[in-house]
């Protein structure tokens, strides 16, 4: 029997969008420790929820992963559109959303975030002063607020937080699971791979 702790009522959504302009190629397929980064991320998330979905506007290269894929419902609206698409596509009331360029995801920290999903519409880590909205748990209850901001072309990812309840997981709490905050490392340029 698997020892993986599965969280029912949860969808895991991987954001695989973005132009990857600083990397010069699609970040998802850049090798990280010998494997495409998207595969490293998928492995770290494996079994965390009832389903895993991929948010991408370029599905063909990802087809071998055999995941349900959804394109942005609001085109050219940045990462906020990806969050909206994940919230809309998910078949569960809570969605863990992570970016495809975060290969150092910390499973115990993710499980802690998930364990707080009933406490607010958004459960988001905050390292220092900065929230990590592409490493957070959202409730479908956020859909109206996110769509309001998309329609107004207010695309700051955290802008809609003022319209929902937010539970910040602050640095002291994060450090119990991830003392250096490595979970939030984004691989944006070739130098980041060194």
């Amino acid at each position: 029997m698997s020892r993986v702790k599965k969280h029912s009522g949860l969808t895991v959504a991987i954001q695989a969008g973005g132009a990857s302009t600083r990397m010069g190629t699609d970040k998802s397929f850049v090798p990280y420790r010998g494997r495409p980064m998207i595969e490293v991320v998928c492995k770290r998330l494996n079994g965390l929820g009832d389903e895993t979905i991929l948010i991408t506007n370029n599905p063909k290269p990802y087809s071998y992963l055999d995941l349900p894929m959804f394109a942005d419902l609001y085109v050219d609206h940045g990462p906020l559109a990806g969050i909206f698409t994940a919230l809309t596509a998910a078949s569960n009331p809570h969605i863990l959303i992570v970016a495809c360029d975060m290969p150092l995801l910390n499973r115990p920290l993710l499980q802690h975030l998930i364990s707080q999903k009933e406490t607010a519409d958004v459960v988001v880590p905050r390292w220092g002063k900065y929230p990590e909205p592409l490493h957070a748990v959202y409730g479908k209850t956020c859909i109206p607020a996110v769509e309001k901001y998309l329609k107004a072309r207010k695309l700051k990812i955290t802008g809609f937080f003022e319209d929902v309840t937010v539970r910040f997981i602050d640095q002291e709490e994060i450090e119990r699971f991830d003392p250096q905050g490595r979970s939030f490392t984004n691989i944006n340029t070739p130098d980041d791979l060194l």
Side-chain angles (χ1 to χ4, degrees), residues 4-189:
V4 172
K5 185 173 181 184
K6 188 172 182 176
H7 296 271
S8 61
L10 181 81
T11 293
V12 176
I14 303 169
Q15 291 254 39
S20 298
T21 49
R22 287 179 284 172
M23 184 62 76
T25 186
D26 189 333
K27 289 188 280 192
S28 294
F29 301 104
V30 169
Y32 184 83
R33 297 184 183 166
R35 297 177 66 190
M37 198 159 11
I38 188 69
E39 292 181 19
V40 174
V41 170
C42 285
K43 185 174 182 185
R44 293 204 178 231
L45 299 168
N46 186 42
L48 269 181
D50 295 325
E51 66 177 351
T52 299
I53 63 176
L54 192 65
I55 309 303
T56 179
N57 293 323
N58 184 25
K60 192 171 182 182
Y62 297 97
S63 59
Y64 78 100
L65 295 171
D66 201 28
L67 293 173
M69 293 182 274
F70 301 90
D72 285 342
L73 296 171
Y74 283 82
V75 180
D76 296 326
H77 280 63
L80 188 61
I83 290 172
F84 179 75
T85 302
L87 293 173
T88 304
S91 59
N92 290 294
H94 299 280
I95 302 91
L96 169 67
I97 298 180
V98 299
C100 69
D101 62 353
M102 302 177 93
L104 300 178
L105 292 168
N106 178 302
R107 198 169 176 98
L109 175 59
L110 293 172
Q111 289 177 324
H112 180 65
L113 297 179
I114 294 164
S115 76
Q116 302 298 305
K117 69 184 190 297
E118 302 290 347
T119 64
D121 297 314
V122 180
V123 179
V124 61
R126 183 165 53 187
W127 189 255
K129 292 186 263 182
Y130 304 102
E132 297 287 344
L134 292 180
H135 186 290
V137 178
Y138 296 84
K140 278 189 174 272
T141 51
C142 294
I143 288 175
V146 175
E147 188 161 35
K148 179 178 96 172
Y149 278 72
L150 287 168
K151 285 180 174 177
R153 289 202 68 90
K154 294 179 180 176
L155 304 182
K156 181 180 177 185
I157 304 180
T158 57
F160 79 94
F161 281 11
E162 63 189 42
D163 291 353
V164 296
T165 60
V166 179
R167 159 89 157 91
F168 287 107
I169 307 293
D170 283 316
Q171 189 163 331
E172 186 177 327
E173 197 171 346
I174 293 165
E175 287 173 346
R176 296 189 345 231
F177 307 96
D178 183 358
Q180 285 84 41
R182 297 183 72 214
S183 303
F184 313 120
T185 302
N186 293 90
I187 305 296
N188 289 315
T189 69

